[in-house]
Amino acid sequence: MDRKILFATYQIRIKNNKRDYQFLDRFNGEDDFFNTFKTYTEHIFENTKTLVSKNIKKKFTLKEPCEVNETNRTLFGYFNAGLTGVKKTIKNDEVPEEGEFNQEKYHTSYQPIFFYLYIPKGKKEAHLILQKEVNFGIKTTLFNTLKDYVLSLGYLDNRIELSSTLHHSVYKKMMKYGKLKSVELIKKRIPSTPEELNSPAKYTKSGKFITSLSSSTDLGDVYKKWIIGLNVLGDKHKQVEIREMDDTVDEVEFELELNGSKKKFYVADTKKPMPYVDVTDSLKFDNFEEPTKDSLIKKAEELIKEMINPQI
């Protein structure tokens, strides 16, 4: 299917006023963040939040009360993220005789966003999975509303942190057992003339020049070994030397696939945020082409297990 379902992986942590990370089941000395997040979802469900930007209003709430498993210390369900303040005309292209429907500025179109949160006992980090469609995300809205809610409870000496996360050993596992789907060599400069196309060292004009390699199956171990052999320095200002081409590029971007999950990685800038995992192929869909809740839960649990205890 053309539509992609992405999962983003995050960690939630709490610092006290001494900048020390707290155990989440007893942050502030006695309070359990599991209960705090549970009451946060209840608050959001009962009190839709409105954020305004450039005359566009964003609405944020819960589609329905989330499911809570106190034994496993998990909470999951759907946030509802909406846009309002824009007048549109909506019509059914498959059944045009139905006519048109005017979406007025006071109407809100909502997008359900799946989430799954695991808050283990005796740990300083919680593991959050958020669904992200290609053009729709809620990370910033979730963080701001959660931060404001915690402050409203009187926790003035505690600071919430929500950060993208990917354990390095997850990359190693995907590289060892997964399929290499694509490689892109990226230059932040282009040839000044068509004649310079075959002379990479002469590329001086500002722009972006991308050489792409891709396969519907697998590029194979030859290219995997080539990527592993590149000098991964984790310095976004350092160019990557491609000895076989007698040239340098500004970045090498590649995509790995394992068990239906696809993930992009970067050679030069290893610190570049990359929390998104394409899970489309490992989900089940209903008659309306929406991913089933059970398959979303299963995939979220698999990703969290890999984050906590990846097997290399």
Side-chain angles (χ1 to χ4, degrees), residues 24-88:
L24 293 183
D25 58 343
R26 53 185 184 276
F27 84 99
N28 201 41
E30 57 182 351
D31 298 305
D32 192 339
F33 183 66
F34 182 88
N35 297 326
T36 303
F37 195 88
K38 177 174 176 286
T39 57
Y40 159 75
T41 62
E42 294 168 350
H43 172 75
I44 289 293
F45 179 66
E46 296 171 357
N47 302 275
T48 299
K49 299 299 177 182
T50 301
L51 302 94
V52 181
S53 176
K54 297 179 180 179
N55 296 323
I56 303 297
K57 293 181 180 179
K58 293 183 178 181
K59 298 290 186 75
F60 185 67
T61 183
L62 242 66
K63 181 181 178 182
E64 57 195 10
C66 71
E67 297 184 42
V68 179
N69 188 321
E70 295 190 7
T71 302
N72 295 332
R73 294 180 62 82
T74 58
L75 306 96
F76 49 88
Y78 294 89
F79 289 110
N80 245 1
L83 293 175
T84 187
V86 179
K87 186 174 182 178
K88 297 179 181 179

Side-chain angles (χ1 to χ4, degrees), residues 81-94:
L83 293 175
T84 187
V86 179
K87 186 174 182 178
K88 297 179 181 179
T89 298
I90 300 173
K91 62 180 181 180
N92 187 343
D93 291 334
E94 295 186 358

Side-chain angles (χ1 to χ4, degrees), residues 137-188:
I138 63 167
K139 176 195 172 183
T140 301
T141 304
L142 170 61
F143 172 70
N144 288 335
T145 55
L146 178 59
K147 178 184 64 176
D148 291 345
Y149 178 74
V150 170
L151 287 173
S152 74
L153 296 179
Y155 297 113
L156 304 181
D157 294 330
N158 294 276
R159 191 180 77 178
I160 296 283
E161 287 188 358
L162 176 61
S163 56
S164 304
T165 181
L166 180 72
H167 200 289
H168 184 66
S169 53
V170 173
Y171 154 71
K172 292 172 64 178
K173 178 181 178 181
M174 293 189 77
M175 180 59 82
K176 183 174 182 179
Y177 298 109
K179 297 177 180 179
L180 181 62
K181 304 294 288 185
S182 66
V183 178
E184 289 189 346
L185 309 179
I186 302 171
K187 290 176 176 288
K188 295 180 181 177

Side-chain angles (χ1 to χ4, degrees), residues 65-271:
C66 71
E67 297 184 42
V68 179
N69 188 321
E70 295 190 7
T71 302
N72 295 332
R73 294 180 62 82
T74 58
L75 306 96
F76 49 88
Y78 294 89
F79 289 110
N80 245 1
L83 293 175
T84 187
V86 179
K87 186 174 182 178
K88 297 179 181 179
T89 298
I90 300 173
K91 62 180 181 180
N92 187 343
D93 291 334
E94 295 186 358
V95 189
E97 57 269 22
E98 287 186 357
E100 296 181 345
F101 168 73
N102 291 325
Q103 177 178 310
E104 303 294 341
K105 289 186 176 181
Y106 50 81
H107 289 143
T108 303
S109 57
Y110 281 101
Q111 172 72 49
I113 306 290
F114 175 78
F115 77 93
Y116 189 103
L117 179 65
Y118 171 50
I119 309 174
K121 266 190 169 296
K123 298 294 182 179
K124 297 181 180 180
E125 59 278 324
H127 302 276
L128 173 67
I129 301 292
L130 279 183
Q131 179 186 346
K132 184 187 186 306
E133 303 238 10
V134 174
N135 296 314
F136 215 107
I138 63 167
K139 176 195 172 183
T140 301
T141 304
L142 170 61
F143 172 70
N144 288 335
T145 55
L146 178 59
K147 178 184 64 176
D148 291 345
Y149 178 74
V150 170
L151 287 173
S152 74
L153 296 179
Y155 297 113
L156 304 181
D157 294 330
N158 294 276
R159 191 180 77 178
I160 296 283
E161 287 188 358
L162 176 61
S163 56
S164 304
T165 181
L166 180 72
H167 200 289
H168 184 66
S169 53
V170 173
Y171 154 71
K172 292 172 64 178
K173 178 181 178 181
M174 293 189 77
M175 180 59 82
K176 183 174 182 179
Y177 298 109
K179 297 177 180 179
L180 181 62
K181 304 294 288 185
S182 66
V183 178
E184 289 189 346
L185 309 179
I186 302 171
K187 290 176 176 288
K188 295 180 181 177
R189 56 203 187 280
I190 60 177
S192 299
T193 65
E195 289 73 22
E196 292 181 359
L197 276 170
N198 295 322
S199 303
K202 296 181 179 180
Y203 291 5
T204 57
K205 190 174 181 180
S206 179
K208 183 176 285 189
F209 190 94
I210 302 176
T211 303
S212 297
L213 302 168
S214 63
S215 171
S216 59
T217 53
D218 187 2
L219 287 174
D221 290 339
V222 172
Y223 280 101
K224 273 190 180 181
K225 291 178 181 178
W226 178 71
I227 288 177
I228 293 172
L230 294 177
N231 190 18
V232 182
L233 298 176
D235 182 355
K236 63 182 177 182
H237 302 296
K238 181 75 173 180
Q239 290 186 325
V240 182
E241 183 179 359
I242 310 295
R243 294 182 179 86
E244 293 82 354
M245 297 172 57
D246 191 25
D247 190 24
T248 59
V249 296
D250 295 289
E251 183 59 279
V252 177
E253 178 181 313
F254 57 99
E255 183 179 64
L256 294 167
E257 179 183 23
L258 179 63
N259 298 328
S261 296
K262 297 176 183 177
K263 185 77 179 168
K264 285 187 176 181
F265 299 89
Y266 306 85
V267 172
D269 188 3
T270 58
K271 297 180 181 179

